[in-house]
Amino acid sequence: MIIGDAHRLATSKRIDPERFAPSPSLGRSPLYSYAARPCRQMRRTPLIRAWWTSPDSRWGRGVRDWRRVAQWAPVKHSPRIVVAPDSLKGTASSPDAARWLAAGLSEALPDAEIALAPMADGGEGTAALLGGEPITLPTTTAAGRLTEATYFLDRESRTAHIDVAAASGLPQVKDSPVPLTGDTYGTGVLVADAQSRGARRIVLALGGSATLDGGTGILAALGAAPQAASGAPVPHGGGWLKAIEHIDTAQLNIPAAGVDWVLLADVTAPVTGENGAARGFGPQKGADASDVELLEESLAHLCRVLDVDPERPGYGAAGAIPVGIAWLSRLIYGDLGHVEVLPGAAAVAAAQGLKEKIAGADLVVTAEGTVDEQSFRGKVLGAVAELARGAVARLGVAAGRIPEGLLPEGALAETLEEGVGVEEQLRRAGRRLGEAYRSIATVQG
């Protein structure tokens, strides 16, 4: 029955009043006339007139509902956009990158609803995104020089968010890399301070480190001293790991050693092998070919001494910091139940509620310095692309270099222009991505 169907459609959840607006120009549409004409004829009889005036009249309700629907017309769709970039190392933090991309998108799509969701993959800037009270204190760089570093303490959850890069990162030693002698002692100082302020859980973002010491610097800062077979202390740094035969725990800071550890890795690398800490990432930290082989042997030796599986995924992150942390936690608890190694980008996305923000979005825009095969192995681009695919949203990518064929099919890509500041680069890239999306949306209707 036409009128009964009209009533069911008009009162169903498929008609969303918020998506409709009055349309004076619509007048009496064919749909309205088709439904109403039979009723106007039937209302001439007393019986039908009674049905029409009855509040329970199914036919009458149907006609009146069709009249209501016919007076509304869909409004123009405003695209929903989520901007979720990584930081651009040394040039833009992820919050800045998100704002600048959004400014460009707004120029091309002034009616768009834009949500900012700055991202990180466990590298520099992760701790700030996870939040908490900033705590700044003196510590040391990977080269042992005095510096200041900041971590973030969430007192309510008793959780400290710490970037390894804050104290032991590459930027502090970029002019003089220390692949053989660099250590994570400065990061251990931050851990000990956080525990002294009440932290019971340490979220350690591993990306951006300058070290390859297997986390032994952190151990030393917490009172676990690496020793040679003779009992002599072993100097800090990955180049000396082969000399370690024992860890002296007489001065161990047990409360700090007994925290729960969440290690956010931006890679899934094992400790050793072609994709491991030394061979896969040593050259990025200044190691030459001979250094790489020495570090490979040293890290393998450390794993044997500490009884840690060198093939475990993620344990090669940040110069194999998880090796030392795993040994320390097992020393306290007898197992690895208090240590988690998680993909940094996925963890930050969950903390940011990125999946919920992307749900229903039309376009998801991200950015990073360079797109390569590693971009889809624990990095921000891979995590954002996966969520966009699940939400059936189009992906837009801005980067300094985007090799052909690496992005998912249908993704929009814009290479950052040279010769202008990073803010202008990202704003222009955002505008071009918005224009490209508008063209596609117009063609597809």
Side-chain angles (χ1 to χ4, degrees):
M1 177 69 68
I2 293 174
I3 299 177
D5 291 341
H7 170 67
R8 283 193 295 273
L9 177 60
T11 57
S12 73
K13 293 183 179 179
R14 287 177 289 177
I15 302 281
D16 183 1
E18 294 184 0
R19 294 186 59 207
F20 291 83
S23 178
S25 63
L26 183 63
R28 289 194 171 187
S29 69
L31 183 62
Y32 171 87
S33 300
Y34 184 68
R37 188 181 301 114
C39 273
R40 286 200 300 271
Q41 295 172 352
M42 289 187 291
R43 282 167 52 197
R44 295 170 184 169
T45 68
L47 178 60
I48 297 300
R49 187 178 299 112
W51 283 2
W52 177 262
T53 57
S54 169
D56 297 324
S57 168
R58 179 184 177 192
W59 286 12
R61 288 200 314 271
V63 171
R64 289 194 294 274
D65 288 333
W66 267 121
R67 180 181 294 164
R68 174 172 61 84
V69 173
Q71 291 174 346
W72 299 82
V75 299
K76 182 179 179 181
H77 174 62
S78 297
R80 292 185 57 199
I81 303 174
V82 176
V83 184
D86 194 2
S87 62
L88 275 64
K89 301 296 186 289
T91 57
S93 67
S94 56
D96 284 342
R99 285 194 296 270
W100 297 336
L101 283 167
L105 287 161
S106 295
E107 293 176 11
L109 299 166
D111 295 329
E113 300 175 19
I114 301 178
L116 305 186
M119 281 288 293
D121 56 15
E124 183 180 1
T126 299
L129 288 180
L130 295 177
E133 174 191 350
I135 306 290
T136 302
L137 66 151
T139 185
T140 58
T141 68
R145 303 186 188 97
L146 286 176
T147 188
E148 285 190 342
T150 300
Y151 69 90
F152 296 81
L153 179 61
D154 185 338
R155 296 186 185 276
E156 183 176 351
S157 65
R158 306 181 77 178
T159 298
H161 303 121
I162 302 174
D163 289 341
V164 169
S168 310
L170 279 168
Q172 295 94 325
V173 296
K174 62 181 179 180
D175 296 329
S176 182
V178 285
L180 298 181
T181 59
D183 66 72
T184 51
Y185 188 93
T187 297
V189 170
L190 302 183
V191 171
D193 184 80
Q195 186 279 323
S196 72
R197 296 174 189 263
R200 294 294 177 265
R201 183 170 178 258
I202 302 295
V203 178
L204 200 59
L206 300 180
S209 77
T211 60
L212 290 142
D213 73 343
T216 53
I218 294 175
L219 299 185
L222 300 184
Q227 293 183 344
S230 64
V234 174
H236 296 176
W240 293 95
L241 296 180
K242 288 180 69 174
I244 296 175
E245 295 295 338
H246 174 67
I247 305 291
D248 181 12
T249 58
Q251 302 297 320
L252 181 64
N253 181 342
I254 294 177
V259 298
D260 290 333
W261 299 88
V262 178
L263 309 180
L264 302 184
D266 59 349
V267 296
T268 58
V271 179
T272 57
E274 291 305 314
N275 298 316
R279 291 177 179 161
F281 302 96
Q284 299 176 10
K285 303 179 182 186
D288 60 25
S290 60
D291 293 340
V292 165
E293 292 311 309
L294 173 59
L295 290 164
E296 177 77 5
E297 295 172 6
S298 297
L299 288 169
H301 174 79
L302 180 67
C303 287
R304 288 193 295 271
V305 171
L306 301 186
D307 192 23
V308 173
D309 181 5
E311 299 300 318
R312 193 157 185 163
Y315 271 46
I321 282 177
V323 172
I325 300 301
W327 173 85
L328 184 64
S329 189
R330 191 176 60 208
L331 175 71
I332 300 296
Y333 295 106
D335 56 34
L336 297 179
H338 293 262
V339 179
E340 290 184 278
V341 180
L342 302 176
V348 174
Q352 292 278 68
L354 186 59
K355 182 177 181 180
E356 291 74 21
K357 290 179 180 178
I358 287 179
D362 301 293
L363 175 64
V364 182
V365 174
T366 188
E368 64 175 49
T370 300
V371 175
D372 54 28
E373 292 182 355
Q374 290 290 334
S375 299
F376 298 91
R377 299 175 184 172
K379 301 290 187 177
V380 167
L381 176 53
V384 172
E386 183 67 23
L387 290 174
R389 181 165 53 250
V392 199
R394 189 172 292 275
L395 177 68
V397 179
R401 189 174 69 88
I402 307 177
E404 187 175 352
L406 284 184
L407 295 182
E409 183 179 356
L412 306 177
E414 286 295 337
T415 302
L416 301 180
E417 296 180 21
E418 297 181 357
V420 295
V422 65
E423 178 177 355
E424 184 64 14
Q425 286 180 333
L426 290 168
R427 188 186 64 79
R428 292 182 184 181
R431 185 182 66 241
R432 292 194 299 270
L433 286 170
E435 291 169 348
Y437 173 78
R438 184 179 59 198
S439 299
I440 293 172
T442 301
V443 170
Q444 294 181 347

